[in-house]
Amino acid sequence: MTGSAVVEPPTPLAVEGYCVVTLHDRQQWVLGDRRVAAAFDGREYLFASPRERAIFAAAPEKYAPALSGDCVVTYAESGDRVVGRIQYGAQR
């Protein structure tokens, strides 16, 4: 039997790639840069700059969406975990 590599599925992208720090702190939707990323709670977060990544790293719970970005309404109604969509999001 030949060896086969185990391929890990990609880490899901949080908030469709928008920077959660600029969204939280400045109420601006800024797409993050794939070169400035960090993993947290099973999601990959992209940031506008290394500064925002450092802010996130200091307090990720403050910036990460509830349920890691899964739809809280669906979870409350059925217990199912499905990816939330940003057009239905609300700030805390």
Side-chain angles (χ1 to χ4, degrees):
M1 181 173 184
T2 60
S4 58
V6 175
V7 178
E8 294 290 327
T11 303
L13 189 60
V15 195
E16 297 180 23
Y18 284 91
C19 177
V20 292
V21 175
T22 57
L23 180 59
H24 181 277
D25 291 351
R26 297 191 311 227
Q27 292 75 48
Q28 294 178 339
W29 290 92
V30 176
L31 276 174
D33 184 336
R34 284 212 175 266
R35 297 169 296 180
V36 189
F40 176 74
D41 199 22
R43 300 284 198 260
E44 179 182 25
Y45 289 83
L46 306 183
F47 302 95
S49 76
R51 178 182 179 275
E52 282 82 11
R53 181 176 55 196
I55 291 168
F56 179 84
E61 298 84 9
K62 177 179 178 180
Y63 296 97
L67 283 178
S68 299
D70 288 347
C71 179
V72 295
V73 173
T74 302
Y75 183 73
E77 291 177 350
S78 68
D80 294 333
R81 299 283 300 257
V82 297
V83 176
R85 298 175 60 183
I86 61 172
Q87 65 262 38
Y88 302 121
Q91 280 192 295
R92 299 184 223 181

